[in-house]
Amino acid sequence: MTLTRPQQILVQTLAGSISVLAFAPVSQFWLMPVCLWVFFLGIRQASSGRWAAINGLAWGLGYFCANASWIYISLHTHGGMPVWMAAGSTFAFALFLACFPMLAALFTRKWRCNDSLRYALLAPTLFMIFEWIRGWIFTGFPWASVGGSQLASLGGLYPIVGSYGVGFLLCLNVASFIHNKRLGLTLAFALISSSALLKQIDWTTPQGAPIKVSLLQGNIEQSIKWNQTSYNDSLQSYLKLARQAQGQLIVFPETAIPSLLEMIPAWYLDEMRQIMTQKNAAMILGAATSDGERYFNAAVDLANPQRTPYAKQHLVPFGEYIPLPQVFGPIYQFLKMPLIGLSRGEPVQPPFAMAGGKIAANICYEDAFGNEIRRNAVNATLLVNLTNMAWFDGSWAAEEHAEMAQARALENGRYLIRATNTGKTAIIDNKGQIIAALPPQTRGALEGQIQHRIGTTPYQIWGDWLVILAWAGVLAGLLAHYHRKSAE
């Protein structure tokens, strides 16, 4: 059936938007191949390179309007932006992100190569290259990477090729199906079977006995978290949760105490130390810290707060620091947003030696960056994420974020525990399975057990370089094939 151009745009936009159902909490992973099938077919059937780019842009707009819609909540509900400005900013961000699949579509049509290779091999390669670029350019936004939707189907491949590698294999599979249905079905069977077999491999081994952990979820509304009048309530809420905790390791969420560490009352820190002594427990507190000149979003060992904390190294642009402050600074002064103007921590930081192992901390959406997490994970026996997703309450952002944490646990063969302000507080095992979680928007402590693990996964060794070299090999091979054919 031949579609008119407006119909093509509508179909592409709808296909991109339903991709959100492939991710948590709906987790219908099979929808992602369907969405990609519409994208690749649209490129193939487009009447020109320009129209292929328009198809790609429409698909990308649907994809990112659906998968990043939660940004509106932070801008309007908590940032105080008028509806029109928040909606416009969210749409503008989605439009920027949509340029990456648009460029993949355009370059697919403009690249000189055989048509059968163009759509079966080049299109999925360029799609993933531009998704990878999206993950690091301008500090990167790897949220809703297509590979991240395939934990249930291709989870066994994550410890080898990571999320981008899984996404590449998925795209190759979809493109091959369009080219040759029998080949596509055979490749799908091979990938799913290989994943199932690889899941049986334990890339890492247990170290020591299991330990009890307590992950605190204070459920402090973002609208009051940074109000001075609510400060004592925050102190008392977390003090009560800490007293009730049963774990050998007690973890607080990101900036659980909404002030600089140096400004937390001395009596409060003394109370926490008494709790640690009574329970023979270690504590990791999320708090802002300062070295006198710079400020950091940090995770602190409360037994020794003077020890170098973990300082968040991947800051959120327009959230934790202001690009082009001369241009955007006045907007943030008007919005009165907290924790603006932070400094970055080092890319590789020593783990905390506590609770019978070595703990690599990460903060907020740092666990969306697989290649960065592995750098610290390789020296650790446990991963800990401290997060505050209250900025996006009312959306699926917390569930989507937890799903990315599952991918990081798989890639590194480590347990990953998450302490969040409003959800999703969870314990994730080394196979990427959520084995315990607190209900969102509730106050409490998640009690459970974790196992320290040692060893190295293939992904920890080579990170994303394996798949990057594969992309380079594909492009080089296609160029060589084209020139050889042209010379004949």
Side-chain angles (χ1 to χ4, degrees), residues 70-364:
W70 40 266
I71 291 174
Y72 171 85
I73 297 173
S74 64
L75 296 177
H76 172 62
T77 305
H78 301 299
M81 275 190 180
V83 170
W84 67 268
M85 185 183 293
S89 298
T90 303
F91 180 82
F93 184 57
L95 181 61
F96 163 70
L97 296 174
C99 290
F100 293 95
M102 179 195 75
L103 290 171
L106 178 63
F107 279 92
T108 295
R109 291 297 296 263
K110 295 297 184 180
W111 194 282
R112 295 180 178 180
C113 70
N114 176 277
D115 271 356
S116 61
L117 295 175
R118 181 189 312 278
Y119 300 114
L121 197 55
L122 178 64
T125 302
L126 288 177
F127 180 89
M128 286 307 303
I129 288 174
F130 279 99
E131 180 171 272
W132 171 72
I133 292 172
R134 168 168 70 88
W136 58 260
I137 195 170
F138 306 127
T139 78
F141 187 76
W143 199 279
S145 173
V146 297
S149 66
Q150 300 303 301
L151 288 169
S153 61
L154 302 177
L157 300 173
Y158 281 80
I160 301 174
V161 297
S163 183
Y164 286 124
V166 169
F168 183 43
L169 292 171
L170 176 65
C171 289
L172 281 174
N173 192 179
V174 173
S176 67
F177 180 81
I178 295 173
H179 181 67
N180 184 310
K181 289 182 173 56
R182 179 175 295 180
L183 174 62
L185 291 173
T186 301
L187 181 56
F189 177 78
L191 288 175
I192 293 172
S193 299
S194 298
S195 173
L197 291 172
L198 289 168
K199 277 185 178 179
Q200 310 309 311
I201 298 176
D202 282 325
W203 298 101
T204 56
T205 57
Q207 181 191 57
I211 70 163
K212 294 180 179 179
V213 296
S214 301
L215 310 178
L216 309 188
Q217 182 171 290
N219 197 36
I220 309 295
E221 292 182 20
Q222 191 61 38
S223 59
I224 65 170
K225 179 176 178 179
W226 291 93
N227 291 348
Q228 187 60 37
T229 54
S230 303
Y231 184 71
N232 286 333
D233 289 340
S234 295
L235 292 178
Q236 293 300 327
S237 294
Y238 279 108
L239 184 58
K240 182 178 179 180
L241 289 174
R243 285 172 175 158
Q244 295 171 349
Q246 303 170 24
Q248 299 161 261
L249 173 65
I250 303 171
V251 185
F252 294 70
E254 175 188 12
T255 58
I257 308 304
S259 69
L260 284 172
L261 178 67
E262 295 79 6
M263 296 175 66
I264 297 175
W267 68 263
Y268 189 79
L269 295 178
D270 289 340
E271 286 276 353
M272 288 294 181
R273 292 189 187 99
Q274 288 179 20
I275 293 171
M276 285 190 285
T277 301
Q278 293 166 2
K279 298 177 181 291
N280 192 26
M283 283 188 183
I284 298 178
L285 173 69
T289 63
S290 173
D291 64 0
E293 297 180 357
R294 300 173 299 168
Y295 298 93
F296 303 93
N297 187 353
V300 179
D301 175 4
L302 268 184
N304 186 7
Q306 302 308 315
R307 176 187 180 275
T308 302
Y310 171 80
K312 186 179 181 185
Q313 61 95 11
H314 203 122
L315 302 180
V316 180
F318 301 104
E320 292 172 316
Y321 78 95
I322 308 173
L324 301 175
Q326 299 86 350
V327 177
F328 298 106
I331 297 175
Y332 285 82
Q333 292 175 4
F334 169 74
L335 296 175
K336 298 179 181 179
M337 293 183 70
L339 288 183
I340 291 295
L342 294 174
S343 296
R344 293 183 175 88
E346 295 298 322
V348 179
Q349 300 180 49
F352 293 119
M354 58 169 60
K358 296 180 179 179
I359 301 173
N362 58 84
I363 298 174
C364 190

